[in-house]
Amino acid sequence: QVQLVESGGGLVQAGGSLRLSCTTSGRTLKSYAVGWFRQAPGKEREFVAGISLSAAFTSYADSVKDRFTISRDNAKSTAYLQMNSLNPEDTAVYYCAAKIPTYYGATYSDSGEYDYWGQGTQVTVSL
């Protein structure tokens, strides 16, 4: 069983930055592909970024490409989402998710693929 805990959310002005963290209790994160998703009020949960086991492969939603960076430190059993140039459209609850991949370099953008989820952290971007 993997329990994921997100942190690092908060209120930031447009143009600012935040770094979200996703840590585990229980099993180590190194055996799992990790994804970040977000859900804004009244909207469906959407994919933000994904990272493979060793961080050799990453994937991003077009809306965050070149602004957000996903990374991981397997020694610390932690994944990160560095968010730069934030705008009000980025306001949402951000979730991390984990899945044992079917092959080494896999990343996943479909929320239905993931087995474990955190409770989410709120990110609010003001004008």
Side-chain angles (χ1 to χ4, degrees), residues 71-83:
S71 62
R72 65 191 299 163
D73 184 340
N74 286 338
K76 295 183 178 179
S77 203
T78 301
Y80 304 97
L81 185 67
Q82 177 67 42
M83 306 185 295

Side-chain angles (χ1 to χ4, degrees), residues 79-116:
Y80 304 97
L81 185 67
Q82 177 67 42
M83 306 185 295
N84 299 330
S85 302
L86 285 161
N87 59 63
E89 290 70 40
D90 296 315
T91 294
V93 178
Y94 284 71
Y95 300 88
C96 69
K99 169 186 170 59
I100 294 178
T102 54
Y103 62 93
Y104 188 75
T107 65
Y108 299 89
S109 61
D110 182 352
S111 62
E113 297 267 18
Y114 287 88
D115 301 309
Y116 303 101

Side-chain angles (χ1 to χ4, degrees), residues 4-124:
L4 304 173
V5 179
E6 303 96 336
S7 61
L11 174 65
V12 63
Q13 286 189 324
S17 299
L18 283 174
R19 188 177 80 157
L20 306 183
S21 298
C22 173
T23 60
T24 60
S25 60
R27 302 185 69 175
T28 177
L29 196 59
K30 69 179 181 181
S31 301
Y32 297 84
V34 175
W36 285 96
F37 292 77
R38 66 186 182 185
Q39 188 167 18
K43 294 189 176 181
E44 298 284 321
R45 187 172 299 188
E46 64 174 358
F47 170 74
V48 175
I51 191 166
S52 63
L53 287 178
S54 68
F57 299 94
T58 58
S59 58
Y60 295 92
D62 288 343
S63 59
V64 306
K65 204 170 292 183
D66 299 326
R67 298 189 299 124
F68 291 10
T69 302
I70 189 171
S71 62
R72 65 191 299 163
D73 184 340
N74 286 338
K76 295 183 178 179
S77 203
T78 301
Y80 304 97
L81 185 67
Q82 177 67 42
M83 306 185 295
N84 299 330
S85 302
L86 285 161
N87 59 63
E89 290 70 40
D90 296 315
T91 294
V93 178
Y94 284 71
Y95 300 88
C96 69
K99 169 186 170 59
I100 294 178
T102 54
Y103 62 93
Y104 188 75
T107 65
Y108 299 89
S109 61
D110 182 352
S111 62
E113 297 267 18
Y114 287 88
D115 301 309
Y116 303 101
W117 291 84
Q119 83 290 347
T121 186
Q122 176 70 46
V123 171
T124 303

